[in-house]
Amino acid sequence: DTAVSQTPKYLVTQMGNDKSIKCEQNLGHDTMYWYKQDSKKFLKIMFSYNNKELIINETVPNRFSPKSPDKAHLNLHINSLELGDSAVYFCASSQAAGTGDNEQFFGPGTRLTVL
Amino acid sequence: AQSVTQPDIHITVSEGASLELRCNYSYGATPYLFWYVQSPGQGLQLLLKYFSGDTLVQGIKGFEAEFKRSQSSFNLRKPSVHWSDAAEYFCAVGPYNTDKLIFGTGTRLQVFP
């Protein structure tokens, strides 16, 4: 059974388009995250939500908007896509929030390519 | 500011050889420390974590890591590497009171038969 799933796995689109990536976890976790992995494999957190509430919001262009309809889902919507948005986006989840000692479970990633 | 340094970008070992991947962190207190592995085209999987207590921690797949406060290090080791261990390895620090994992730049492990 998939713990953290993301769709789509691959996304190829033109500059200027708007796209969404969906994430779902069936682990019963309260906290979900979005990370961006660039072409040099560097991973950086973008957002985290705890029980549908935004907790972490790193310095990310406001073209990126996360949405959490319920605590099992965290979607990422990106407006006006730019070449620099090409990356692999990982969703993750963990049991609780605010203590730093939670194991985060990662999804398989969505490879976004902007042409 | 918190940071994680993995000095080795790429390591090549022969199958059966021992392995040590280096990780140094910068943080004002004892952080929570993690090692993750990313196989090609896959997400990240937790190998092991250190929160407190015994400074030598055992993980999955025969990996272990040792926390050394004096050296601000958390190096990952395996006594005998298997070809299936070829992957990207990430060290991460989780500062107290936040869930923001800060990752190192990763070490790519290549295993030759």
Side-chain angles (χ1 to χ4, degrees):
Chain A
D1 285 346
T2 304
V4 182
S5 59
Q6 295 178 230
T7 54
K9 191 169 174 62
Y10 300 96
L11 185 53
V12 181
T13 188
Q14 299 286 333
M15 265 197 317
N17 284 350
D18 303 339
K19 290 293 178 186
S20 291
I21 306 171
K22 298 190 177 200
C23 178
E24 176 181 2
Q25 55 95 4
N26 62 5
L27 297 167
H29 288 165
D30 289 334
T31 308
M32 296 184 73
Y33 313 79
W34 278 110
Y35 286 85
K36 179 180 179 181
Q37 185 176 47
D38 64 22
S39 58
K40 295 184 179 176
K41 300 272 186 173
F42 183 59
L43 266 161
K44 192 171 191 305
I45 191 166
M46 300 172 70
F47 304 102
S48 81
Y49 268 75
N50 177 256
N51 269 325
K52 302 194 296 177
E53 181 185 346
L54 182 65
I55 301 295
I56 294 173
N57 185 356
E58 290 293 284
T59 309
V60 177
N62 57 15
R63 298 182 294 102
F64 290 79
S65 53
K67 285 190 172 47
S68 182
D70 55 62
K71 73 175 191 177
H73 296 84
L74 180 62
N75 304 324
L76 184 65
H77 189 77
I78 316 170
N79 289 328
S80 304
L81 277 155
E82 299 177 358
L83 293 176
D85 298 333
S86 295
V88 181
Y89 292 85
F90 286 100
C91 178
S93 72
S94 68
Q95 182 66 35
T99 58
D101 59 350
N102 290 296
E103 175 181 353
Q104 295 185 19
F105 293 79
F106 284 78
T110 295
R111 181 174 293 277
L112 171 65
T113 303
V114 182
L115 302 174
Chain B
Q2 304 96 356
S3 66
V4 178
T5 303
Q6 292 181 248
D8 305 305
I9 296 172
H10 186 196
I11 284 184
T12 302
V13 299
S14 298
E15 192 170 20
S18 63
L19 173 71
E20 182 169 31
L21 303 182
R22 296 183 291 165
C23 173
N24 293 95
Y25 66 90
S26 171
Y27 184 62
T30 300
Y32 302 118
L33 295 160
F34 306 81
W35 273 100
Y36 281 85
V37 60
Q38 183 181 22
S39 298
Q42 303 295 315
L44 281 79
Q45 181 183 23
L46 182 70
L47 284 175
L48 47 79
K49 58 192 177 188
Y50 172 77
F51 294 160
S52 63
D54 193 346
T55 55
L56 184 63
V57 293
Q58 302 296 322
I60 61 171
K61 303 185 182 189
F63 284 93
E64 66 178 27
E66 186 172 12
F67 169 63
K68 291 186 178 179
R69 185 192 305 273
S70 61
Q71 298 175 19
S72 297
S73 68
F74 188 55
N75 294 348
L76 181 72
R77 300 195 294 247
K78 185 168 185 178
S80 177
V81 169
H82 187 261
W83 64 266
S84 61
D85 293 324
E88 192 89 23
Y89 290 79
F90 292 94
C91 181
V93 60
Y96 181 73
N97 239 14
T98 172
D99 295 303
K100 185 169 70 173
L101 279 181
I102 298 167
F103 284 89
T105 49
T107 297
R108 183 176 165 228
L109 175 66
Q110 213 166 354
V111 180
F112 282 111

PDB file of all heavy atoms in Angstrom, chain A residues 21-46:
ATOM      1  N   ILE A  21       0.050  19.893  -8.638  1.00  0.00           N
ATOM      2  CA  ILE A  21       0.551  18.582  -8.244  1.00  0.00           C
ATOM      3  C   ILE A  21      -0.226  18.181  -6.997  1.00  0.00           C
ATOM      4  O   ILE A  21      -0.421  18.995  -6.087  1.00  0.00           O
ATOM      5  CB  ILE A  21       2.056  18.613  -7.900  1.00  0.00           C
ATOM      6  CG1 ILE A  21       2.865  19.222  -9.054  1.00  0.00           C
ATOM      7  CG2 ILE A  21       2.558  17.208  -7.602  1.00  0.00           C
ATOM      8  CD1 ILE A  21       4.320  19.471  -8.683  1.00  0.00           C
ATOM      9  N   LYS A  22      -0.657  16.913  -6.998  1.00  0.00           N
ATOM     10  CA  LYS A  22      -1.469  16.459  -5.868  1.00  0.00           C
ATOM     11  C   LYS A  22      -0.685  15.485  -5.002  1.00  0.00           C
ATOM     12  O   LYS A  22       0.154  14.728  -5.495  1.00  0.00           O
ATOM     13  CB  LYS A  22      -2.734  15.783  -6.384  1.00  0.00           C
ATOM     14  CG  LYS A  22      -3.613  16.718  -7.191  1.00  0.00           C
ATOM     15  CD  LYS A  22      -4.958  16.110  -7.489  1.00  0.00           C
ATOM     16  CE  LYS A  22      -5.803  17.132  -8.241  1.00  0.00           C
ATOM     17  NZ  LYS A  22      -7.213  16.859  -8.184  1.00  0.00           N
ATOM     18  N   CYS A  23      -0.982  15.518  -3.717  1.00  0.00           N
ATOM     19  CA  CYS A  23      -0.327  14.627  -2.774  1.00  0.00           C
ATOM     20  C   CYS A  23      -1.354  14.093  -1.789  1.00  0.00           C
ATOM     21  O   CYS A  23      -2.199  14.857  -1.277  1.00  0.00           O
ATOM     22  CB  CYS A  23       0.777  15.344  -2.015  1.00  0.00           C
ATOM     23  SG  CYS A  23       1.593  14.314  -0.776  1.00  0.00           S
ATOM     24  N   GLU A  24      -1.244  12.812  -1.512  1.00  0.00           N
ATOM     25  CA  GLU A  24      -2.137  12.182  -0.546  1.00  0.00           C
ATOM     26  C   GLU A  24      -1.337  11.243   0.340  1.00  0.00           C
ATOM     27  O   GLU A  24      -0.442  10.547  -0.143  1.00  0.00           O
ATOM     28  CB  GLU A  24      -3.226  11.389  -1.276  1.00  0.00           C
ATOM     29  CG  GLU A  24      -4.163  10.622  -0.351  1.00  0.00           C
ATOM     30  CD  GLU A  24      -5.223   9.809  -1.099  1.00  0.00           C
ATOM     31  OE1 GLU A  24      -5.213   9.813  -2.347  1.00  0.00           O
ATOM     32  OE2 GLU A  24      -6.058   9.192  -0.438  1.00  0.00           O
ATOM     33  N   GLN A  25      -1.656  11.221   1.625  1.00  0.00           N
ATOM     34  CA  GLN A  25      -1.020  10.262   2.526  1.00  0.00           C
ATOM     35  C   GLN A  25      -2.096   9.486   3.277  1.00  0.00           C
ATOM     36  O   GLN A  25      -3.110  10.048   3.690  1.00  0.00           O
ATOM     37  CB  GLN A  25      -0.037  10.962   3.477  1.00  0.00           C
ATOM     38  CG  GLN A  25      -0.600  12.102   4.292  1.00  0.00           C
ATOM     39  CD  GLN A  25      -1.075  11.733   5.671  1.00  0.00           C
ATOM     40  OE1 GLN A  25      -0.935  10.586   6.111  1.00  0.00           O
ATOM     41  NE2 GLN A  25      -1.645  12.706   6.380  1.00  0.00           N
ATOM     42  N   ASN A  26      -1.821   8.193   3.425  1.00  0.00           N
ATOM     43  CA  ASN A  26      -2.776   7.313   4.119  1.00  0.00           C
ATOM     44  C   ASN A  26      -2.198   6.805   5.435  1.00  0.00           C
ATOM     45  O   ASN A  26      -2.557   5.732   5.911  1.00  0.00           O
ATOM     46  CB  ASN A  26      -3.201   6.152   3.210  1.00  0.00           C
ATOM     47  CG  ASN A  26      -2.041   5.253   2.823  1.00  0.00           C
ATOM     48  OD1 ASN A  26      -0.919   5.432   3.308  1.00  0.00           O
ATOM     49  ND2 ASN A  26      -2.285   4.299   1.953  1.00  0.00           N
ATOM     50  N   LEU A  27      -1.290   7.592   6.005  1.00  0.00           N
ATOM     51  CA  LEU A  27      -0.616   7.198   7.238  1.00  0.00           C
ATOM     52  C   LEU A  27      -1.301   7.773   8.482  1.00  0.00           C
ATOM     53  O   LEU A  27      -0.857   7.507   9.594  1.00  0.00           O
ATOM     54  CB  LEU A  27       0.845   7.678   7.200  1.00  0.00           C
ATOM     55  CG  LEU A  27       1.677   7.057   6.079  1.00  0.00           C
ATOM     56  CD1 LEU A  27       2.991   7.803   5.906  1.00  0.00           C
ATOM     57  CD2 LEU A  27       1.937   5.588   6.359  1.00  0.00           C
ATOM     58  N   GLY A  28      -2.310   8.588   8.278  1.00  0.00           N
ATOM     59  CA  GLY A  28      -2.975   9.217   9.414  1.00  0.00           C
ATOM     60  C   GLY A  28      -2.150  10.338  10.044  1.00  0.00           C
ATOM     61  O   GLY A  28      -2.392  10.728  11.194  1.00  0.00           O
ATOM     62  N   HIS A  29      -1.181  10.844   9.309  1.00  0.00           N
ATOM     63  CA  HIS A  29      -0.323  11.902   9.835  1.00  0.00           C
ATOM     64  C   HIS A  29      -1.040  13.245   9.849  1.00  0.00           C
ATOM     65  O   HIS A  29      -1.956  13.494   9.067  1.00  0.00           O
ATOM     66  CB  HIS A  29       0.955  12.011   8.993  1.00  0.00           C
ATOM     67  CG  HIS A  29       1.886  10.872   9.205  1.00  0.00           C
ATOM     68  ND1 HIS A  29       2.936  10.602   8.336  1.00  0.00           N
ATOM     69  CD2 HIS A  29       1.965   9.927  10.172  1.00  0.00           C
ATOM     70  CE1 HIS A  29       3.607   9.559   8.780  1.00  0.00           C
ATOM     71  NE2 HIS A  29       3.028   9.127   9.887  1.00  0.00           N
ATOM     72  N   ASP A  30      -0.562  14.103  10.761  1.00  0.00           N
ATOM     73  CA  ASP A  30      -1.157  15.431  10.882  1.00  0.00           C
ATOM     74  C   ASP A  30      -0.449  16.489  10.057  1.00  0.00           C
ATOM     75  O   ASP A  30      -0.998  17.555   9.800  1.00  0.00           O
ATOM     76  CB  ASP A  30      -1.119  15.878  12.349  1.00  0.00           C
ATOM     77  CG  ASP A  30      -2.097  15.095  13.211  1.00  0.00           C
ATOM     78  OD1 ASP A  30      -3.096  14.601  12.654  1.00  0.00           O
ATOM     79  OD2 ASP A  30      -1.868  14.985  14.420  1.00  0.00           O
ATOM     80  N   THR A  31       0.810  16.227   9.686  1.00  0.00           N
ATOM     81  CA  THR A  31       1.624  17.257   9.041  1.00  0.00           C
ATOM     82  C   THR A  31       2.086  16.803   7.671  1.00  0.00           C
ATOM     83  O   THR A  31       2.510  15.658   7.503  1.00  0.00           O
ATOM     84  CB  THR A  31       2.851  17.588   9.912  1.00  0.00           C
ATOM     85  OG1 THR A  31       2.410  17.889  11.237  1.00  0.00           O
ATOM     86  CG2 THR A  31       3.605  18.790   9.359  1.00  0.00           C
ATOM     87  N   MET A  32       2.008  17.704   6.716  1.00  0.00           N
ATOM     88  CA  MET A  32       2.458  17.420   5.357  1.00  0.00           C
ATOM     89  C   MET A  32       3.345  18.552   4.858  1.00  0.00           C
ATOM     90  O   MET A  32       3.244  19.690   5.326  1.00  0.00           O
ATOM     91  CB  MET A  32       1.249  17.219   4.425  1.00  0.00           C
ATOM     92  CG  MET A  32       0.417  16.000   4.813  1.00  0.00           C
ATOM     93  SD  MET A  32      -0.938  15.679   3.676  1.00  0.00           S
ATOM     94  CE  MET A  32      -0.073  15.043   2.239  1.00  0.00           C
ATOM     95  N   TYR A  33       4.204  18.204   3.903  1.00  0.00           N
ATOM     96  CA  TYR A  33       5.240  19.137   3.450  1.00  0.00           C
ATOM     97  C   TYR A  33       5.378  19.082   1.927  1.00  0.00           C
ATOM     98  O   TYR A  33       5.086  18.068   1.303  1.00  0.00           O
ATOM     99  CB  TYR A  33       6.610  18.740   4.019  1.00  0.00           C
ATOM    100  CG  TYR A  33       6.645  18.426   5.481  1.00  0.00           C
ATOM    101  CD1 TYR A  33       6.214  17.196   5.967  1.00  0.00           C
ATOM    102  CD2 TYR A  33       7.131  19.358   6.383  1.00  0.00           C
ATOM    103  CE1 TYR A  33       6.264  16.904   7.314  1.00  0.00           C
ATOM    104  CE2 TYR A  33       7.188  19.071   7.745  1.00  0.00           C
ATOM    105  CZ  TYR A  33       6.749  17.833   8.197  1.00  0.00           C
ATOM    106  OH  TYR A  33       6.800  17.555   9.540  1.00  0.00           O
ATOM    107  N   TRP A  34       5.908  20.178   1.389  1.00  0.00           N
ATOM    108  CA  TRP A  34       6.406  20.178   0.017  1.00  0.00           C
ATOM    109  C   TRP A  34       7.873  20.582   0.039  1.00  0.00           C
ATOM    110  O   TRP A  34       8.254  21.570   0.684  1.00  0.00           O
ATOM    111  CB  TRP A  34       5.636  21.165  -0.868  1.00  0.00           C
ATOM    112  CG  TRP A  34       4.343  20.613  -1.383  1.00  0.00           C
ATOM    113  CD1 TRP A  34       3.088  20.992  -1.022  1.00  0.00           C
ATOM    114  CD2 TRP A  34       4.183  19.568  -2.352  1.00  0.00           C
ATOM    115  NE1 TRP A  34       2.165  20.249  -1.702  1.00  0.00           N
ATOM    116  CE2 TRP A  34       2.803  19.380  -2.525  1.00  0.00           C
ATOM    117  CE3 TRP A  34       5.071  18.785  -3.104  1.00  0.00           C
ATOM    118  CZ2 TRP A  34       2.277  18.428  -3.406  1.00  0.00           C
ATOM    119  CZ3 TRP A  34       4.550  17.848  -3.974  1.00  0.00           C
ATOM    120  CH2 TRP A  34       3.171  17.679  -4.121  1.00  0.00           C
ATOM    121  N   TYR A  35       8.686  19.779  -0.684  1.00  0.00           N
ATOM    122  CA  TYR A  35      10.094  20.071  -0.865  1.00  0.00           C
ATOM    123  C   TYR A  35      10.371  20.213  -2.361  1.00  0.00           C
ATOM    124  O   TYR A  35       9.731  19.575  -3.188  1.00  0.00           O
ATOM    125  CB  TYR A  35      10.972  18.925  -0.339  1.00  0.00           C
ATOM    126  CG  TYR A  35      11.061  18.817   1.153  1.00  0.00           C
ATOM    127  CD1 TYR A  35      10.093  18.132   1.890  1.00  0.00           C
ATOM    128  CD2 TYR A  35      12.124  19.376   1.841  1.00  0.00           C
ATOM    129  CE1 TYR A  35      10.183  18.024   3.266  1.00  0.00           C
ATOM    130  CE2 TYR A  35      12.232  19.260   3.225  1.00  0.00           C
ATOM    131  CZ  TYR A  35      11.256  18.583   3.915  1.00  0.00           C
ATOM    132  OH  TYR A  35      11.365  18.477   5.290  1.00  0.00           O
ATOM    133  N   LYS A  36      11.392  21.008  -2.675  1.00  0.00           N
ATOM    134  CA  LYS A  36      11.841  21.134  -4.059  1.00  0.00           C
ATOM    135  C   LYS A  36      13.271  20.614  -4.143  1.00  0.00           C
ATOM    136  O   LYS A  36      14.120  20.984  -3.320  1.00  0.00           O
ATOM    137  CB  LYS A  36      11.802  22.604  -4.502  1.00  0.00           C
ATOM    138  CG  LYS A  36      12.285  22.838  -5.923  1.00  0.00           C
ATOM    139  CD  LYS A  36      12.231  24.319  -6.292  1.00  0.00           C
ATOM    140  CE  LYS A  36      12.730  24.565  -7.705  1.00  0.00           C
ATOM    141  NZ  LYS A  36      12.704  26.016  -8.063  1.00  0.00           N
ATOM    142  N   GLN A  37      13.522  19.737  -5.121  1.00  0.00           N
ATOM    143  CA  GLN A  37      14.870  19.230  -5.363  1.00  0.00           C
ATOM    144  C   GLN A  37      15.338  19.733  -6.717  1.00  0.00           C
ATOM    145  O   GLN A  37      14.755  19.390  -7.744  1.00  0.00           O
ATOM    146  CB  GLN A  37      14.908  17.704  -5.306  1.00  0.00           C
ATOM    147  CG  GLN A  37      16.324  17.140  -5.433  1.00  0.00           C
ATOM    148  CD  GLN A  37      16.386  15.635  -5.292  1.00  0.00           C
ATOM    149  OE1 GLN A  37      15.601  14.909  -5.892  1.00  0.00           O
ATOM    150  NE2 GLN A  37      17.311  15.150  -4.477  1.00  0.00           N
ATOM    151  N   ASP A  38      16.387  20.530  -6.710  1.00  0.00           N
ATOM    152  CA  ASP A  38      16.834  21.129  -7.967  1.00  0.00           C
ATOM    153  C   ASP A  38      17.720  20.167  -8.757  1.00  0.00           C
ATOM    154  O   ASP A  38      17.922  19.014  -8.357  1.00  0.00           O
ATOM    155  CB  ASP A  38      17.546  22.467  -7.705  1.00  0.00           C
ATOM    156  CG  ASP A  38      18.829  22.316  -6.886  1.00  0.00           C
ATOM    157  OD1 ASP A  38      19.408  21.198  -6.857  1.00  0.00           O
ATOM    158  OD2 ASP A  38      19.249  23.306  -6.278  1.00  0.00           O
ATOM    159  N   SER A  39      18.253  20.656  -9.845  1.00  0.00           N
ATOM    160  CA  SER A  39      19.012  19.793 -10.759  1.00  0.00           C
ATOM    161  C   SER A  39      20.306  19.282 -10.132  1.00  0.00           C
ATOM    162  O   SER A  39      20.866  18.289 -10.584  1.00  0.00           O
ATOM    163  CB  SER A  39      19.333  20.538 -12.053  1.00  0.00           C
ATOM    164  OG  SER A  39      20.057  21.719 -11.763  1.00  0.00           O
ATOM    165  N   LYS A  40      20.755  19.945  -9.072  1.00  0.00           N
ATOM    166  CA  LYS A  40      21.966  19.478  -8.378  1.00  0.00           C
ATOM    167  C   LYS A  40      21.612  18.613  -7.174  1.00  0.00           C
ATOM    168  O   LYS A  40      22.448  18.356  -6.316  1.00  0.00           O
ATOM    169  CB  LYS A  40      22.808  20.676  -7.936  1.00  0.00           C
ATOM    170  CG  LYS A  40      23.355  21.467  -9.093  1.00  0.00           C
ATOM    171  CD  LYS A  40      24.260  22.597  -8.632  1.00  0.00           C
ATOM    172  CE  LYS A  40      24.799  23.351  -9.840  1.00  0.00           C
ATOM    173  NZ  LYS A  40      25.610  24.513  -9.467  1.00  0.00           N
ATOM    174  N   LYS A  41      20.364  18.189  -7.119  1.00  0.00           N
ATOM    175  CA  LYS A  41      19.868  17.283  -6.072  1.00  0.00           C
ATOM    176  C   LYS A  41      19.696  17.974  -4.723  1.00  0.00           C
ATOM    177  O   LYS A  41      19.473  17.281  -3.723  1.00  0.00           O
ATOM    178  CB  LYS A  41      20.782  16.060  -5.908  1.00  0.00           C
ATOM    179  CG  LYS A  41      20.926  15.210  -7.143  1.00  0.00           C
ATOM    180  CD  LYS A  41      19.844  14.176  -7.205  1.00  0.00           C
ATOM    181  CE  LYS A  41      20.059  13.222  -8.361  1.00  0.00           C
ATOM    182  NZ  LYS A  41      19.125  12.111  -8.369  1.00  0.00           N
ATOM    183  N   PHE A  42      19.824  19.301  -4.668  1.00  0.00           N
ATOM    184  CA  PHE A  42      19.658  19.990  -3.397  1.00  0.00           C
ATOM    185  C   PHE A  42      18.180  20.055  -3.031  1.00  0.00           C
ATOM    186  O   PHE A  42      17.348  20.495  -3.829  1.00  0.00           O
ATOM    187  CB  PHE A  42      20.244  21.393  -3.473  1.00  0.00           C
ATOM    188  CG  PHE A  42      20.175  22.146  -2.182  1.00  0.00           C
ATOM    189  CD1 PHE A  42      20.792  21.656  -1.045  1.00  0.00           C
ATOM    190  CD2 PHE A  42      19.455  23.320  -2.091  1.00  0.00           C
ATOM    191  CE1 PHE A  42      20.713  22.341   0.155  1.00  0.00           C
ATOM    192  CE2 PHE A  42      19.374  24.007  -0.902  1.00  0.00           C
ATOM    193  CZ  PHE A  42      20.004  23.521   0.227  1.00  0.00           C
ATOM    194  N   LEU A  43      17.874  19.620  -1.819  1.00  0.00           N
ATOM    195  CA  LEU A  43      16.498  19.558  -1.328  1.00  0.00           C
ATOM    196  C   LEU A  43      16.222  20.708  -0.377  1.00  0.00           C
ATOM    197  O   LEU A  43      16.957  20.918   0.582  1.00  0.00           O
ATOM    198  CB  LEU A  43      16.287  18.271  -0.537  1.00  0.00           C
ATOM    199  CG  LEU A  43      15.740  17.072  -1.256  1.00  0.00           C
ATOM    200  CD1 LEU A  43      16.033  15.825  -0.479  1.00  0.00           C
ATOM    201  CD2 LEU A  43      14.235  17.217  -1.459  1.00  0.00           C
ATOM    202  N   LYS A  44      15.120  21.412  -0.631  1.00  0.00           N
ATOM    203  CA  LYS A  44      14.798  22.530   0.251  1.00  0.00           C
ATOM    204  C   LYS A  44      13.300  22.532   0.529  1.00  0.00           C
ATOM    205  O   LYS A  44      12.489  22.331  -0.367  1.00  0.00           O
ATOM    206  CB  LYS A  44      15.196  23.842  -0.406  1.00  0.00           C
ATOM    207  CG  LYS A  44      15.170  25.042   0.531  1.00  0.00           C
ATOM    208  CD  LYS A  44      15.770  26.247  -0.133  1.00  0.00           C
ATOM    209  CE  LYS A  44      16.000  27.380   0.852  1.00  0.00           C
ATOM    210  NZ  LYS A  44      14.813  27.776   1.605  1.00  0.00           N
ATOM    211  N   ILE A  45      12.961  22.747   1.788  1.00  0.00           N
ATOM    212  CA  ILE A  45      11.546  22.774   2.146  1.00  0.00           C
ATOM    213  C   ILE A  45      10.886  24.026   1.569  1.00  0.00           C
ATOM    214  O   ILE A  45      11.506  25.095   1.476  1.00  0.00           O
ATOM    215  CB  ILE A  45      11.344  22.706   3.668  1.00  0.00           C
ATOM    216  CG1 ILE A  45       9.879  22.466   3.988  1.00  0.00           C
ATOM    217  CG2 ILE A  45      11.874  23.967   4.349  1.00  0.00           C
ATOM    218  CD1 ILE A  45       9.625  22.052   5.411  1.00  0.00           C
ATOM    219  N   MET A  46       9.643  23.865   1.160  1.00  0.00           N
ATOM    220  CA  MET A  46       8.874  25.001   0.660  1.00  0.00           C
ATOM    221  C   MET A  46       7.776  25.364   1.662  1.00  0.00           C
ATOM    222  O   MET A  46       7.651  26.502   2.084  1.00  0.00           O
ATOM    223  CB  MET A  46       8.237  24.646  -0.681  1.00  0.00           C
ATOM    224  CG  MET A  46       9.240  24.279  -1.760  1.00  0.00           C
ATOM    225  SD  MET A  46       8.424  23.667  -3.235  1.00  0.00           S
ATOM    226  CE  MET A  46       7.661  25.144  -3.862  1.00  0.00           C
TER     227      MET A  46
END
